Amino acid sequence: MQSLSLSSSSAQFTATVRSNSGPTNSTAVTPNQLRFCGLRREALFNGCKSSSSSSSSSRLLCFKTTRASKVIAGLSANGNGNGATTKGYDYDLVIIGAGVGGHGAALHAVEKGLKTAIIEGDVVGGTCVNRGCVPSKALLAVSGRMRELQNEHHMKSFGLQVAAAGYDRQGVADHAENLATKIRNNLTNSLKSLGVDILTGVGSVVGPQKVKFGKAGDSETVITAKDIIIATGSVPFVPKGVEVDGKTVITSDHALKLETVPEWIVIVGSGYIGLEFSDVYTALGSEVTFVEALDQLMPGFDPEIGKLAQRVLINPRKIDYHTGVFATKITPAKEGNPVRIELIDAKTKEPKDTLEVDAALIATGRAPFTQGLGLENVNVETQRGFIPVDERMRVIDSKGELVPHLYCIGDANGKMMLAHAASAQGISVVEQVSGKDHVLNHLSIPAACFTHPEISMVGLTEPQAREKAEKEGFEISIAKTSFKANTKALAENEGDGIAKMIYRPDNGEILGVHIFGMHAADLIHEASNAIALGTRIQDIKYAVHAHPTLSEVIDELFKSAKVRGETSLVPQLKFSLVLQWYYNKTTCSKQTIFSNTDLYQIAGFGDIIMGLQH
C-alpha cells in the first residue's frame, strides 16, 4: 500500500511516497517542471474516475499515487533538458532505420544531449519521403489543380473562362521526384548539421545493447549503445496470387513514378492509398474500378463520413466498384493480352467475375519490414511480422518479458501505421531513455486522406465509441456542422462537407472528430490537440477563431455540443493548480493566486486540497 504526501520549501515541492513493503522515496520538483502536455491522462490519473453530475464541479474519487510519483520523479530527473553522455558505450542511442520515425527520434535525442547514431541501408527518409506520403502529395497537388480547371461550372461561378486543361505526364512525375529529393536532402542535412552519425548499411541486433551494420558483401561493424530503437518501417503488402511486374501490375512504390497513365486501372483496396490514387488517376483521365474485400468502400472511415465521401469522391467520377470480393489471381499484361483479374465472393469463395483491364494497382495495405533484424538474438518473435511492444514501445520477448534497452517504433510495431505516429513514438521513447516517463496517447494522433475534398479523423469512430460506451456504462452524443454554413468555404465554392464530433455529454470529453471537406487535413489538429491535452468541450468552446476562416467549422462544432456540466478544467491543469496553490499557501501566503473557495469551485479538487491541508 502506497501513499503520496507533498511538502514544500521556498523553492521546491517534495513528493514523498511511503510504502508498507519498502523504503520511503522522496523526489524534489520545482513548479516550472510540472508540464503535463503530451502525456496521456492515464499516466497521471490511472484508474481515477470523476463523478457524473450536472453541478459545476466534479470531485476526483481516487488518485493512483504510484504512476503520479513516477511522472513527478521523471520530470525532476532531467530538469536541465540535457542528458550526460553514457560512459562504456559507443553511443547513448542507436536507431536502426532513418525514416520519419527514426529521424524524429534522432533530432529529439540530440536535443536531449544524447550521442546518437542512425543506421540506414537505403536512403534517409524511408517510405514516407521516398515512396509514400511526400511524392503522393505532389501528385495530388497536380490532380487537385487539374480537377478544378476541368470543372467548367466551377470556374464559371467565379467568372473565369479557362481553355481546355492538359498535362505533361513526365513533368508531373518529375514534380513528385523533385519534391522527394528535396525533402530527403533536407532530412539528411538536418541530421548531419546536428552531429548525428549516419551509418550506412543494413543494421541488426547482435545481443543486448549491441548492433551490427554493413553493406552486402562488405565486412560488418559491431557497435554498442545504451539504448536501441528499431524503426525499419514497412513495405507494400501483396496478397497471394498477385503477380507484380512493376509495369502493368504495380504497388504504390511503382505508381508514384507515374510511368504511365492507363485508360482503365483496377485498384485493389479502397483505404487511404487506394482513394488517393483514384483521385490522381481520374483527374488525369483514367477510368478506375475498385475491388474491395469488405461489404462497403472505405471500411476504415467513420461510416457516415464514408457514405458522404462516396457520394462526392466516387459516384460522380469515372469510378465503379466491386465490394465483398477477393482478387484471387492477378496476371500482368503479356504479349498483347490485358491484365487479367479473377474475383471470388469473399464469403462463399465462389467465382464472381473476371476483369480484363490495362493495369492494376495493389493497395491492400502495408507489411512490417522486420526480417533480418537479429531478433532471435534477444529471444523476440514477431507476431504477423510485427515486433510486439508495450505502451511505452518497449520490445517484448517470446516469454512476455521486456527486453532491456530495446524499443520499436513506427510501422514495424503495428500500433499505428502513420509516419507522424512513428515520429511521435520515437520522441516518446527518447523522453523515456532521458529519464522522463512518457506514454503516448494514440487516440490523439490524427489521420488524413488527401483527396479532393480531404478526409481527416482523430479518436474513435461512432461505432467504436458506442461499443466503448456500452462496455463502460456511459452515454455518447453527436454534434455536426456543415461546410455549407461556412463563409470561407462558400467563397471558394467548396460547400461540400461536414464535421462530426462524438463526445460524452456528462463530462465534455471528446471521443472522436471526423471531417470531410476543404482542407480537412489541416482543420483536424485543433481536435487532436484537445484530445491530447485532455481539454473538454466546455473549455475549448470559448476559444476565438478568426473570421472568415474554415476553422470556424470546428468552432461551430464545439459550440453546438450540449454538455451537462459547464465547468471543467483538464486533470493535468487541475493538478498543477492545486500544487501551485499549495506552494503559494505555504511559502508566500500573502501572494496566493487562488483561494480555497476558488479551487473548490473551479478545479473540483476538494479531496486533494483537504489532504494537503492535513
Side-chain angles (χ1 to χ4, degrees), residues 339-416:
V339 174
R340 184 179 175 88
I341 303 172
E342 298 179 14
L343 304 178
I344 65 169
D345 188 280
K347 296 177 181 177
T348 66
K349 304 300 186 289
E350 295 293 325
K352 196 77 178 284
D353 202 353
T354 299
L355 304 177
E356 293 185 345
V357 296
D358 299 307
L361 167 62
I362 311 304
T364 48
R366 301 187 64 83
F369 184 66
T370 54
Q371 294 181 346
L373 285 175
L375 296 174
E376 65 279 0
N377 296 325
V378 285
N379 195 31
V380 173
E381 297 178 359
T382 60
Q383 299 174 359
R384 296 181 295 110
F386 295 105
I387 297 175
V389 297
D390 70 353
E391 63 180 0
R392 288 172 172 79
M393 310 303 128
R394 298 176 293 191
V395 174
I396 301 171
D397 67 16
S398 59
K399 295 181 180 179
E401 299 176 353
L402 296 176
V403 180
H405 304 285
L406 183 61
Y407 301 82
C408 179
I409 64 173
D411 290 4
N413 69 32
K415 279 186 172 292
M416 200 172 203

Side-chain angles (χ1 to χ4, degrees), residues 133-146:
C133 38
V134 170
S136 68
K137 298 311 157 291
L139 296 183
L140 285 160
V142 173
S143 73
R145 284 164 174 76
M146 278 296 295

